[in-house]
Amino acid sequence: MKNTLFQHGTMQMLVEGLLDGTLPLAELLKHGDIGIGTGDGVDGELVILDGIGYKIDTTGKAVKLPPDFKVTYADVSFADYHDFKSYQDIELEEMLSQVLTANNAQNRFLAVKTNGVFQKIRTRSSKKSQKPYPSLGEIAQNQVEFEAENITGTMISYYTPKVFQGVGVSGFHNHFLADNLSVGGHVLAATMKDVTVSVQLLDNLQLHLPVDSQDFLDADLTDITKLDQVISKSE
Amino acid sequence: MKNTLFQHGTMQMLVEGLLDGTLPLAELLKHGDIGIGTGDGVDGELVILDGIGYKIDTTGKAVKLPPDFKVTYADVSFADYHDFKSYQDIELEEMLSQVLTANNAQNRFLAVKTNGVFQKIRTRSSKKSQKPYPSLGEIAQNQVEFEAENITGTMISYYTPKVFQGVGVSGFHNHFLADNLSVGGHVLAATMKDVTVSVQLLDNLQLHLPVDSQDFLDADLTDITKLDQVISKSE
């Protein structure tokens, strides 16, 4: 459905080290043609744009993914954005805050697409971990950061209301892909030079659990405070 | 979909006093033929069985609902249970604990249907409140409790994993309907005399937000600790 956010997996699951890829990209694409996510063993940061899956690897560059690439966690939707506003010379947080308020979207899901020239952008990606998976602290050490200036591209953002903390991450979650695929990843900071923002309000969350993973079914997922602890360390 | 729990609204919303009925029963029934919920202004406790909606009113009796009855919060699914086990002379909590463990369902959604003779059952319903809605404390005073012995009926239960606390209520949520409609409601306690339990594992949550309610869109829903406080008082 056009107004549905489809999510595979939960953030809590990642925090608990359940990092197996459990959904082939081809299956994920049945539920949306735009989105963000991560792969098996936190294998890079994913961007889905126009129905094509890309992985930002540890060089910071984006590569097209095959249909059988295994996804651990993803948010996707069917793109049906409407034009919202253009912005010049504005910081990421300030821009997203304005978009959220102007769309009165604090209690619902919101998809935001930002196209244009980014004056400066800082992103992150991860190296794939092997099973048995290392601790989150060690995975954090496998993260690499990238910076680019005056780069043209698309930032895909989803906003999740507070009550879904743990299911997803509350607030905005943003991934970037340069038009020339030279850089991308999970967005840590950005200054927009000249961008056009389009938005899509989402009325439904369709959450799919990785029920074919025995590790997921057997895990102790009763401590729901861990995500908050991890977020403060990884920002 | 057979393996999807459809939910309208969130528990957090109820805790914050957003009690308007926002979905006609006829619309809800498009997403399931069995379920539980509550109506406009906490207008009774709802049971949906074989595609028919019932309200347990303040007399404790069940009445059939019209298609335009407005639902505030509901969980529904399409019944596709399989036989699990029969139980004799067992307490509600012990039985549900055994069902959860035997189905290894602690990290997923589980629908449970319990049919047969209940030796003793204690239920609760509520009187409809008018807008502006009273505080939760006052609404608690509008609750009425019922007891029945040796009653034949159906208990409909949904299990929600811990990470969804606030979206729903984590753990089991149980509503009862007597075959002769003489009693029903939100189950507070029960002893089963001779019942048959059937189960249905649910892989997906489809959550629909009441986005047509301006009160919902405008509410401050950032304090996600309130539900835990309320649950401890209302049990």
Side-chain angles (χ1 to χ4, degrees), chain A residues 163, chain B residues 5-15 18-25 28 35-48 65 69-76 109 158-160 164-173 175 186 205 207-210 216 227:
Chain A
V163 73
Chain B
L5 173 64
F6 176 90
Q7 182 176 312
H8 176 68
T10 67
M11 269 291 162
Q12 185 202 25
M13 174 193 91
L14 298 182
V15 169
L18 297 161
L19 306 181
D20 280 351
T22 48
L23 191 73
L25 177 63
L28 180 68
I36 62 181
T38 192
D40 189 47
V42 195
D43 184 10
E45 299 281 340
L46 307 189
V47 169
I48 291 143
L65 291 171
F69 181 86
K70 289 287 187 18
V71 175
T72 301
Y73 176 95
D75 283 317
V76 297
F109 295 94
Y158 290 100
Y159 172 80
T160 296
F164 297 94
Q165 178 76 334
V167 179
V169 177
S170 67
F172 278 102
H173 186 180
H175 283 199
H186 177 95
L205 171 68
L207 184 84
H208 180 254
L209 295 171
F216 173 77
L227 179 59

Side-chain angles (χ1 to χ4, degrees), chain B residues 12-234:
Chain B
Q12 185 202 25
M13 174 193 91
L14 298 182
V15 169
E16 293 287 0
L18 297 161
L19 306 181
D20 280 351
T22 48
L23 191 73
L25 177 63
E27 282 297 312
L28 180 68
L29 293 176
K30 291 179 182 172
H31 301 280
D33 55 16
I34 191 163
I36 62 181
T38 192
D40 189 47
V42 195
D43 184 10
E45 299 281 340
L46 307 189
V47 169
I48 291 143
L49 191 60
D50 299 329
I52 299 167
Y54 301 89
K55 176 178 88 172
I56 289 83
D57 64 21
T58 50
T59 69
K61 293 183 172 47
V63 291
K64 278 194 195 180
L65 291 171
D68 62 348
F69 181 86
K70 289 287 187 18
V71 175
T72 301
Y73 176 95
D75 283 317
V76 297
S77 50
F78 285 104
D80 189 26
Y81 297 85
H82 68 268
D83 293 344
F84 175 63
K85 202 173 167 182
S86 291
Y87 287 95
Q88 286 79 36
D89 305 317
I90 190 167
E91 294 295 317
L92 174 67
E93 295 301 331
E94 173 60 24
M95 188 191 81
L96 292 175
S97 170
Q98 287 187 26
V99 170
L100 187 70
T101 303
N103 286 280
N104 197 24
Q106 65 271 16
N107 295 332
R108 60 199 299 187
F109 295 94
L110 178 69
V112 180
K113 192 167 73 161
T114 306
N115 276 108
V117 181
F118 291 67
Q119 187 188 317
K120 195 167 180 178
I121 189 161
R122 193 156 60 85
T123 62
R124 182 180 74 198
S125 190
S126 290
K127 187 181 161 190
K128 177 173 174 160
S129 296
Q130 301 296 335
K131 224 173 171 177
Y133 296 118
S135 72
L136 278 165
E138 290 169 301
I139 283 179
Q141 290 178 356
N142 284 341
Q143 290 176 345
V144 277
E145 291 188 16
F146 315 102
E147 277 198 10
E149 295 191 1
N150 281 303
I151 186 91
T152 304
T154 302
M155 184 174 73
I156 298 164
S157 307
Y158 290 100
Y159 172 80
T160 296
K162 195 78 178 279
V163 73
F164 297 94
Q165 178 76 334
V167 179
V169 177
S170 67
F172 278 102
H173 186 180
N174 318 292
H175 283 199
F176 179 75
L177 184 71
D179 281 0
N180 63 10
L181 308 186
S182 66
V183 68
H186 177 95
V187 179
L188 297 169
T191 309
M192 282 65 179
K193 190 170 183 178
D194 189 3
V195 295
T196 305
V197 169
S198 54
V199 299
Q200 182 179 356
L201 289 161
L202 303 168
D203 303 346
N204 299 281
L205 171 68
Q206 189 186 341
L207 184 84
H208 180 254
L209 295 171
V211 293
D212 296 327
S213 162
Q214 197 62 44
D215 287 353
F216 173 77
L217 295 180
D218 293 345
D220 179 355
L221 300 177
T222 54
D223 181 359
I224 56 176
T225 66
K226 280 191 192 170
L227 179 59
D228 288 331
Q229 299 165 29
V230 169
I231 285 172
S232 59
K233 286 180 196 162
S234 72

Side-chain angles (χ1 to χ4, degrees), chain A residues 195-228:
Chain A
V195 296
T196 304
V197 170
S198 54
V199 298
Q200 182 179 356
L201 289 161
L202 302 168
D203 303 345
N204 300 281
L205 171 69
Q206 189 186 340
L207 183 84
H208 179 254
L209 295 171
V211 293
D212 296 328
S213 161
Q214 198 62 43
D215 287 353
F216 173 77
L217 295 180
D218 293 344
D220 178 356
L221 300 177
T222 53
D223 181 359
I224 56 176
T225 66
K226 280 191 192 169
L227 179 60
D228 289 331

Side-chain angles (χ1 to χ4, degrees), chain A residues 15-16 26 32 38 59 106 115 159-160 164 168 177 191 215-216:
Chain A
V15 168
E16 294 287 0
T38 192
T59 69
Q106 64 272 15
N115 275 109
Y159 172 81
T160 296
F164 296 94
L177 184 70
T191 309
D215 287 353
F216 173 77

